């Protein structure tokens, strides 16, 4: 049995749907033909020329990266920049490059869950949940068909709320309609008013599934015209959003926390701010450049905020109330490749998956 590149990318998109990427982002398939067979996968934080070289050596024709190598757009492919050279080399060797970026930053079990797990945080919650990612469907169904329609909606992904699945609500009422001369009604006759006992069913679902849910409704519902309403919800989605917050199993002194952080994240050093609080217990994290979340971490009572790429003036935002720890962009996200590795190997066994051994961090330290 063969597996196509598309089957692998679809699996990754079940975890991190592309529609959750930020509007400036460029996640998705960057080179390659999605219909081709996967012969091997190399997972990495960044896709560089050295990583493409590694893929060639290991016999891989799919590279899964966190950072999209084509990010700002390309106007030429002459080999002038490392981005152009990486793309040229990948295409010459028929290697597909796929990136799962800000979409993977925005889901449970993504980049920030990985950091929170490395730090052993308990009671994890998304730091800032994303608005307008949920919808509600209300549909009117003749009573004998209710179970069938609900089953179809659930299997398309509707009605999953936290740890609860197959969630719905229904009430019974009377539906009235008069089919036109051209109608082909399931119940009733053309030109004659009709009354049918129906259920009004309600389900909530992630907005990106809208087309799938509507197709399932139309397929399972017996009527030619399905009476329904679709609503965009303002409810915050607790499963989608940026950053993560949780608690250490025990309070640590500042020095112990910094040592623990260095040990767990395998750091050479940490840039951090002093804080008035004595101990560190509640910790917020955000992989990559997360300084835009400092105020949210403060508001939610975090004693420490772990991220990368913090600028000089942003450190002042700690106001002495939170320990901001800049552990480096690369260091905060390097374990992201384990997410790709675990997701793919748990679902496919007919090709090899490798963790890249290339250190793609362009930054070096000297002391
Ligand atoms: Zn990043």
């Amino acid at each position: 049995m063969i597996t196509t590149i598309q089957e692998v990318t679809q699996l990754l998109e079940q975890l991190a749907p592309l529609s959750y990427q930020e509007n400036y982002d460029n996640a998705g398939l960057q080179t390659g033909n999605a219909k081709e067979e996967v012969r091997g996968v190399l997972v990495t934080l960044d896709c560089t020329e050295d990583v493409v070289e590694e893929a060639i050596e290991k016999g891989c024709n799919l590279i899964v990266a966190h950072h999209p190598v084509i990010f700002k757009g390309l106007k030429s492919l002459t080999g002038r920049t490392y981005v152009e050279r990486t793309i040229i080399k990948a295409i010459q060797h028929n290697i597909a490059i796929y990136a799962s970026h800000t979409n993977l930053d925005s889901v449970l079990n993504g980049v920030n869950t990985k950091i929170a797990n490395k730090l052993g945080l308990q009671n994890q919650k998304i730091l800032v949940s994303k608005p307008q990612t949920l919808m509600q469907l209300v549909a009117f169904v003749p009573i004998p068909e209710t179970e069938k329609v609900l089953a179809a909606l659930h299997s398309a992904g509707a009605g999953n709320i936290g740890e609860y699945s197959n969630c719905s609500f229904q009430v019974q009422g009377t539906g009235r309609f008069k089919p036109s001369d051209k109608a082909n009604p399931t119940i009733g006759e053309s030109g004659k008013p009709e009354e049918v006992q129906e259920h009004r069913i309600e389900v909530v679902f992630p907005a990106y599934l809208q087309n799938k849910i509507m197709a399932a409704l139309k397929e399972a519902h017996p009527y030619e015209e399905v009476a329904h309403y679709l609503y965009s919800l303002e409810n915050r989605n607790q499963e989608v959003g940026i950053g993560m917050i949780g608690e250490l199993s025990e309070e640590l002194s500042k020095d112990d926390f910094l040592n623990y952080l260095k040990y767990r994240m395998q750091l050479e050093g940490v840039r951090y701010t002093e804080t008035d609080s004595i101990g560190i217990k509640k910790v917020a994290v955000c992989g990559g450049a997360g300084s835009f979340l400092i105020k949210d971490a403060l508001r939610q009572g975090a004693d420490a905020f772990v991220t990368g790429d913090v600028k000089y003036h942003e450190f002042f935002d700690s106001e002495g109330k939170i320990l901001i720890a800049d552990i480096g962009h690369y260091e905060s996200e390097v374990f992201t490749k384990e997410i790709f590795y675990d997701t793919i190997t748990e679902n496919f066994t007919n090709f090899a998956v490798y963790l890249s051994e290339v250190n793609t961090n362009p930054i070096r330290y000297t002391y």
Side-chain angles (χ1 to χ4, degrees):
M1 201 191 76
I2 68 149
T3 301
T4 61
I5 287 167
Q6 189 169 35
E7 286 172 288
V8 176
T9 62
Q10 278 171 349
L11 173 74
L12 294 169
E13 285 162 25
Q14 280 173 23
L15 170 68
L18 286 179
S19 62
Y20 289 158
Q21 68 180 302
E22 300 296 333
N23 52 19
Y24 59 78
D25 200 4
N26 191 33
L29 193 64
Q30 306 223 295
T31 65
N33 179 350
K35 302 273 185 267
E36 274 186 24
E37 179 185 357
V38 176
R39 287 188 295 279
V41 181
L42 182 64
V43 301
T44 180
L45 178 62
D46 304 287
C47 186
T48 62
E49 281 179 276
D50 286 346
V51 172
V52 176
E53 200 62 58
E54 187 185 14
I56 297 164
E57 280 163 24
K58 291 185 155 89
C60 299
N61 66 336
L62 172 61
I63 295 171
V64 176
H66 179 48
H67 295 133
V69 60
I70 305 176
F71 191 59
K72 296 175 189 149
L74 281 176
K75 291 198 169 176
S76 61
L77 270 176
T78 59
R80 193 173 46 88
T81 65
Y82 86 90
V83 173
E84 292 180 15
R85 289 191 296 277
T86 303
I87 298 300
I88 290 169
K89 187 171 273 191
I91 292 171
Q92 282 172 340
H93 291 86
N94 204 19
I95 290 172
I97 301 174
Y98 178 85
S100 181
H101 188 213
T102 52
N103 47 324
L104 192 65
D105 291 331
S106 302
V107 292
L108 276 184
N109 301 318
V111 175
N112 297 308
T113 302
K114 180 53 98 177
I115 302 169
N117 288 345
K118 288 275 173 197
L119 297 180
L121 299 185
Q122 301 169 342
N123 305 319
Q124 292 176 20
K125 276 193 335 213
I126 281 179
L127 186 62
V128 179
S129 54
K130 213 175 180 131
Q132 286 149 358
T133 59
L134 288 172
M135 294 186 80
Q136 184 192 34
L137 169 69
V138 172
F140 300 86
V141 188
I143 289 169
E145 308 291 334
T146 300
E147 290 308 318
K148 179 184 163 204
V149 172
L150 277 175
L153 293 173
H154 292 323
S155 72
N160 293 315
I161 302 173
E163 292 304 311
Y164 297 84
S165 61
N166 294 15
C167 303
S168 68
F169 178 81
Q170 70 190 52
V171 285
Q172 190 174 330
T174 306
R176 298 170 199 266
F177 53 88
K178 186 169 89 171
S180 78
D181 293 343
K182 291 183 191 138
N184 182 21
T186 311
I187 297 170
E189 293 169 32
S190 293
K192 203 173 142 204
E194 189 64 53
E195 280 189 8
V196 181
Q197 286 302 297
E198 293 178 332
H199 279 140
R200 173 192 164 110
I201 59 170
E202 304 183 3
V203 285
V204 172
F205 60 90
Y208 76 91
L209 289 177
Q210 183 181 334
N211 291 342
K212 202 174 164 196
I213 301 282
M214 288 310 297
L217 174 68
K218 287 186 174 143
E219 172 76 28
H221 198 290
Y223 287 2
E224 188 179 22
E225 295 286 351
V226 181
H228 70 279
Y229 308 127
L230 272 177
Y231 301 101
S232 291
L233 300 179
E234 291 298 321
N235 303 43
R236 294 239 161 205
N237 188 343
Q238 299 306 324
E239 294 175 8
V240 183
I242 192 85
M244 194 70 72
I245 188 164
E247 286 145 26
L248 297 167
S249 58
E250 56 175 330
E251 187 171 296
L252 295 177
S253 70
K254 275 177 277 184
D255 285 347
D256 284 349
F257 172 72
L258 290 167
N259 282 329
Y260 176 74
L261 185 60
K262 278 158 74 177
Y263 170 67
R264 298 303 290 253
M265 301 303 289
Q266 298 174 20
L267 308 173
E268 292 183 51
V270 182
R271 301 195 305 150
Y272 69 99
T273 57
E274 280 296 350
T275 157
D276 300 334
S277 55
I278 300 155
I280 307 290
K281 171 93 172 160
K282 205 167 190 185
V283 179
V285 304
C286 181
S291 55
F292 65 100
L293 291 173
I294 291 172
K295 288 192 173 71
D296 294 286
L298 264 170
R299 214 173 292 139
Q300 297 199 32
D303 304 308
F305 179 49
V306 177
T307 187
D309 282 350
V310 181
K311 291 185 187 154
Y312 178 74
H313 288 287
E314 293 165 342
F315 280 108
F316 285 98
D317 292 338
S318 70
E319 301 278 3
K321 295 190 187 109
I322 189 167
L323 187 157
I324 298 172
D326 182 344
I327 64 171
H329 193 129
Y330 176 87
E331 289 80 356
S332 70
E333 293 187 324
V334 65
F335 301 109
T336 300
K337 58 188 172 189
E338 293 175 2
I339 305 173
F340 300 135
Y341 182 88
D342 292 344
T343 306
I344 299 169
T345 53
E346 278 162 22
N347 287 275
F348 297 105
T349 50
N350 52 337
F351 51 83
V353 184
Y354 301 93
L355 289 161
S356 172
E357 294 164 57
V358 178
N359 177 356
T360 57
N361 192 357
I363 301 166
R364 294 287 183 269
Y365 299 92
T366 176
Y367 295 98

